Structure formats: C-alpha cells, structure tokens
Amino acid sequence: MASGQDRPALLTRVPLFARLPAPALAALAAHAHSRTFAVGVHLFREGDPCAGVFALLDGSVRIYKLSPAGREVTLSIQPAPATIAEVPLMDGGPYPASVVAITPVEALFLGRQEFLAVCLHHPQVALEMLAVFGARLRGLVALVEAVTFGGVRQRLARLLLERARPGGGGVLSLSATQQALAQDLGTVREVVSRNLSRFQADGLIQLRPHAIELLDEAGLRREAELEI
C-alpha cells in the first residue's frame, strides 16, 4: 500500500473523488487509512454500525444479503475502483448489506465523522456523493426489474453474458461455480444446474469441469430478452 503522500493521487482513481479539487483531496487523504483484505474476509457485515466508507483501490468484493431462511443473495459484484457504503455513511444507519472480498483487496478507509467534517468544509464532496447515489439507485432499479420481470432462465442468460470474458478461438468463457451463480441469482444450485443443462442441450453453452464456454452469444441474448 502506498504512503500517505501518495493517497491524494490514489483517491483520484476512485470515481467519487476523481473530480475533486486538490484541497478537498488533501483533506480526505489526511484521514484515510490503508486496509487490506484477503479472499473471504468481510469488510463489514449487514447490521454492523457504519464506521465509515471504503475506497476500493484494487480487487473485487461481493455485496450480499441474507434471506430470512439464511440463504445468501448476491446484490452485486463490485470491482475497484469504487466506493462502498456511501448510504449509511450519510444517514447514520447500520450497513444494509454484507461485503466480502472475492479477490485480494486494497482499500482506503475514511471514518464517518471525519468524512462528514470534510463535507462541511468542501461542499463539492457532498455533491459528488449525490451523483454516486443516483448511479446506485439506477442499479437497484435495474436489479428489481430483472427479479420482478424475469425468470431464472432469463436472468441466468443475462448473467452469463455480463460475466463472460473473451477466450481463445473467439469463444466467451466464464469461470464460476454453479453455487456461486445460484447465489448471484437468489436461487438454489439445482435450479441453475437444470437451466445450464438446457442451455447446453440447445447448443448455447458447453459445460467444462472448471468453466462454462458460451458457444452461441446471439442465442443467449435471445434467452436474456425473452419475456417469461
């Protein structure tokens, strides 16, 4: 992790802070603390008092909630650079979801009281927060729409397309367990397995021991757009 002198420059890599003037960046950097998290370590858990906000510099985290039955439901996968926990930072409530590192994570942590004090002296910080809130709200609306108007098959097709990366021979591939996909969709592994088998039977994907190859991207897009 970089020294304190480098922290203003590191903060500019994060969208929330990228357009701030130098005095505001310096004020925030003066209160920033370096944090690292190994894979599987929680940054915080749902219901914990909000201690502050995290600026992700490297790595990715999974944001999830627990259902009443104790099942994990993934809300999103958030890669760096980004900020985590802006809403409870401002309203003073507890963290509304849990956040766990899915790769090694490097972050800067800003305590709630110190952050709010900087906002009072540098109003542009608060204005940038409003822009972040707007983006978060749009993302939540899209999530609600997908859950409300799409079946598991449609949402699974959409998730495969969103997560896949180009591989050899022009084939898209995705390295993810069926259990992880089920958590992301808020369902159970058996339902995901059944739909993946159907996709394979239709020639849309090829199931591998440690990956899923997307053979027919156009066909999957039709499935993702299908009204069920």
Side-chain angles (χ1 to χ4, degrees):
M1 184 66 71
S3 66
Q5 291 181 337
D6 297 326
R7 285 173 189 165
L10 290 173
L11 286 173
T12 61
R13 292 164 45 186
V14 179
L16 172 60
F17 309 117
R19 298 185 295 180
L20 294 178
L25 282 171
L28 290 168
H31 299 293
H33 303 279
S34 299
R35 299 281 181 88
T36 59
F37 300 90
V39 175
V41 175
H42 281 78
L43 282 68
F44 52 81
R45 294 181 183 272
E46 180 179 353
D48 289 347
C50 178
V53 65
F54 291 86
L56 301 184
L57 303 176
D58 192 32
S60 297
V61 299
R62 182 169 67 92
I63 304 171
Y64 71 92
K65 290 181 71 70
L66 289 176
S67 73
R71 190 174 71 220
E72 293 184 2
V73 178
T74 298
L75 300 180
S76 68
I77 302 296
Q78 181 63 70
T83 46
I84 299 294
E86 306 93 349
V87 172
L89 180 77
M90 302 303 287
D91 72 8
Y95 291 119
S98 299
V99 176
V100 63
I102 57 175
T103 69
V105 167
E106 292 186 359
L108 291 175
F109 175 77
L110 293 140
R112 181 171 182 268
Q113 295 303 324
E114 292 80 5
F115 189 93
L116 293 178
V118 172
C119 287
L120 290 175
H121 289 90
H122 301 278
Q124 188 172 348
V125 178
L127 292 175
E128 293 296 328
M129 288 287 285
L130 290 176
V132 171
F133 287 161
R136 295 287 189 210
L137 180 58
R138 289 180 183 276
L140 287 173
V141 169
L143 177 62
V144 170
E145 182 181 21
V147 172
T148 302
F149 299 112
V152 171
R153 187 176 71 184
Q154 181 184 11
R155 291 188 284 126
L156 177 59
R158 187 181 299 122
L159 184 64
L160 292 176
L161 291 166
E162 290 174 351
R163 299 281 176 83
R165 296 292 180 267
V171 175
L172 296 175
S173 65
L174 174 71
S175 178
T177 66
Q178 294 184 15
Q179 180 61 40
L181 291 173
Q183 289 178 346
D184 291 348
L185 293 170
T187 185
V188 295
R189 187 190 62 80
E190 291 76 11
V191 173
V192 169
S193 177
R194 186 163 59 248
N195 281 280
L196 288 175
S197 295
R198 290 173 180 170
F199 286 166
Q200 180 169 253
D202 292 339
L204 303 177
I205 65 172
Q206 178 66 51
L207 298 175
R208 303 294 186 187
H210 302 290
I212 303 170
E213 292 187 3
L214 277 61
L215 304 179
D216 185 353
E217 184 177 354
L220 275 175
R221 292 195 183 281
R222 286 192 294 271
E223 290 285 347
E225 297 167 358
L226 182 66
E227 293 293 341
I228 297 177

